[in-house]
Amino acid sequence: MKSYSESYKAAGVDITAGYKAVELMKGHIAKTMTAGALSDIGGFGGLFEPDLSGMEKPVFVSGTDGVGTKLKLAFLMDRHDTVGIDCVAMCVNDIICCGAQPLFFLDYIACGKNQPEKIAQIVSGVAEGCVQSGAALIGGETAEMPGFYPENEYDLAGFAVGVIDKKKILDNKTVNEGDVIIALPSSGVHSNGFSLVRRVFDVENADITSPVAELGGKSLGETLLMPTKIYAKPMKKLFDEVTVKAVSHITGGGFYENIPRSLPQGYGARIEKSAVRVLPIFELIGKAGGISERDMFNTFNMGVGMSVVVAKEDADRALQILRDNGADAYIIGETAKQDDGVVLL
C-alpha cells in the first residue's frame, strides 16, 4: 500500500507531491554520480566511499551555506533552475580555499507548497553545480511547511564535504611581502549583497525584464540571477602544479573582509584599483544607489570571485594554468606588511 494521508493533505502537506518530486529529480541527480557515490536517492542517509589512496593523512573539509535573498529575484522572474548552482558554489568555493576538492553535496529545500515541477527545477540547478564542481549529489531534503512559507516561495541551503591530504592544506605562513595576488573573475553579483541590491533597484516594483543598455542589452533580472561561478576544477589544476600560498572566496564583506582572512597576521593586500575588471552591474548598482566606492568594495565582489596568492616567480605559470582551464585570471595586486588589511591604490 502506498503512503497517503488525507488528514495531512487537509493540513497543507501532500506527501504524494513529495514522491513525484523525487521521481522528477532522479534524472538530474544521476548526472552527478561519481565513483564514490554508493547510495540511491530516497534513503535515510547518503553514502559515499572516498578514494583516499595516495593520501598520508586525509582531512575532511566541510562547508554549508544558502542562497540568501537572491531567491527573491528567482521568485519575481519565476526562474528556478539556476539558484541551485549558487547554493553549490557558495559551499564548494569555501572549502577549496584550504586546498581541498569537493566529494559530495546535500541540499535542503523548505517550501510553502511542494510543487513537484518547481522542486525538480531547483534540483536541476543543484545537480548542474555538482557537475561543475565534480561533487556527487548523494542526498537532500524537501520540507513542505504550509503557514511558515508562502505557497510560491522556498528557501534553499546546502552542505558540501571535500578532502585534502593534511600536508597539502594551504599554509598562509609562507606568505611573503611582494607575493602576487591573482583575481579569478566572477560571473556577476554571485550570492551576496542582495538585500542592498533589492533596495537600490526596488526590484519588487521595478521593471526587471526589459533590456538595459548598460548591461549589454540583458535585463536587470537576468543579470542579477546569473549563477555564481564555481572554481573547483581550475583550482584543482592550479593546486596540482603550483605552490599556492593563500586563497580567498570573495563573498559578503567584499575585498575588505575576505582577502585579509586568507593572509597571516601582519600582512595585507595592496590592490591596484585600475586593474580590477569591475563588471557593469556593479557600476550600475553604485550609481543607482549613490553608494561610495569604499562601501561597494566592502559589500560586493566587484567582478572578482576568488583571489589567489602565489610567489612572484610562479605568477606567470599560475595565470597560464588558470586560463587554460577556463578562468580568465589576471593580477590585481600584491601582499605587503601592513596593519590595514586591504589598501586600494
Side-chain angles (χ1 to χ4, degrees):
M1 180 182 293
K2 291 186 176 181
S3 176
Y4 176 75
S5 171
E6 191 66 44
S7 299
Y8 209 7
K9 184 176 181 179
V13 179
D14 184 358
I15 56 178
T16 61
Y19 303 145
K20 183 179 179 181
V22 169
E23 287 303 313
L24 290 174
M25 66 178 72
K26 280 185 175 180
H28 302 299
I29 295 169
K31 299 174 185 176
T32 76
M33 291 298 99
T34 61
L38 301 180
S39 54
D40 192 11
I41 197 71
F44 288 99
L47 304 177
F48 192 90
E49 181 181 15
D51 179 4
L52 305 178
S53 58
M55 292 191 184
E56 294 179 9
K57 292 185 177 180
V59 175
F60 291 104
V61 185
S62 60
T64 185
D65 209 337
V67 182
T69 62
K70 184 174 185 175
L71 291 175
K72 288 287 188 180
L73 271 297
F75 303 156
L76 290 169
M77 297 285 288
D78 193 25
R79 182 170 181 185
H80 312 284
D81 61 342
T82 63
V83 289
I85 301 174
D86 291 294
C87 189
V88 176
M90 295 304 291
C91 297
V92 301
N93 284 345
D94 275 354
I95 67 175
I96 65 177
C97 286
C98 68
Q101 285 301 303
L103 293 175
F104 59 84
F105 189 84
L106 290 88
D107 62 11
Y108 174 78
I109 304 168
C111 57
K113 181 177 177 60
N114 189 331
Q115 301 171 51
E117 291 77 11
K118 182 184 287 187
I119 298 300
Q121 286 181 44
I122 298 168
V123 174
S124 75
V126 175
E128 173 59 26
C130 287
V131 169
Q132 291 182 23
S133 59
L137 179 56
I138 63 170
E141 171 71 9
T142 302
E144 190 172 15
M145 301 169 65
F148 195 88
Y149 291 97
E151 278 198 2
N152 291 317
E153 295 191 3
Y154 56 85
D155 198 7
L156 173 62
F159 175 85
V161 172
V163 68
I164 185 172
D165 199 341
K166 188 174 183 178
K167 66 183 179 183
K168 293 184 178 180
I169 296 174
L170 298 194
D171 181 6
N172 66 9
K173 294 183 178 64
T174 64
V175 170
N176 294 311
E177 190 164 29
D179 285 338
V180 171
I181 301 175
I182 295 173
L184 277 66
S186 71
S187 56
V189 184
H190 281 186
S191 300
N192 298 102
F194 274 86
S195 294
L196 178 55
V197 168
R198 288 168 47 241
R199 183 185 66 79
V200 165
F201 294 120
D202 188 20
V203 295
E204 281 81 4
N205 301 302
D207 176 8
I208 62 172
T209 60
S210 296
V212 178
E214 295 93 328
L215 300 177
K218 291 184 177 181
S219 70
L220 182 62
E222 182 184 4
T223 302
L224 292 174
L225 265 188
M226 185 69 66
T228 305
K229 188 81 172 174
I230 293 176
Y231 302 103
K233 291 183 178 179
M235 286 301 296
K236 183 181 188 306
K237 293 290 187 181
L238 187 65
F239 291 139
D240 287 344
E241 299 187 38
V242 171
T243 299
V244 178
K245 298 189 175 189
V247 179
S248 176
H249 183 199
I250 312 298
T251 56
F255 281 48
Y256 286 100
E257 181 175 325
N258 291 288
I259 296 177
R261 289 172 62 186
S262 69
L263 301 176
Q265 188 171 3
Y267 283 83
R270 297 173 66 82
I271 303 296
E272 291 288 344
K273 190 168 53 178
S274 61
V276 179
R277 300 173 187 171
V278 178
L279 296 174
I281 183 61
F282 296 112
E283 296 173 350
L284 196 61
I285 293 169
K287 182 179 179 181
I291 303 170
S292 69
E293 180 182 80
R294 175 65 167 74
D295 283 356
M296 289 295 294
F297 275 89
N298 205 163
T299 306
F300 301 106
N301 68 62
M302 299 303 285
V304 179
M306 184 162 279
S307 68
V308 178
V309 176
V310 298
K312 188 170 292 186
E313 59 267 25
D314 291 331
D316 288 343
R317 177 67 177 144
L319 288 168
Q320 191 61 54
I321 292 168
L322 291 167
R323 291 168 181 168
D324 287 347
N325 288 277
D328 189 18
Y330 62 98
I331 295 172
I332 55 172
E334 63 179 25
T335 58
K337 289 184 177 181
Q338 60 189 40
D339 293 330
D340 293 328
V342 172
V343 175
L344 296 179
L345 303 175

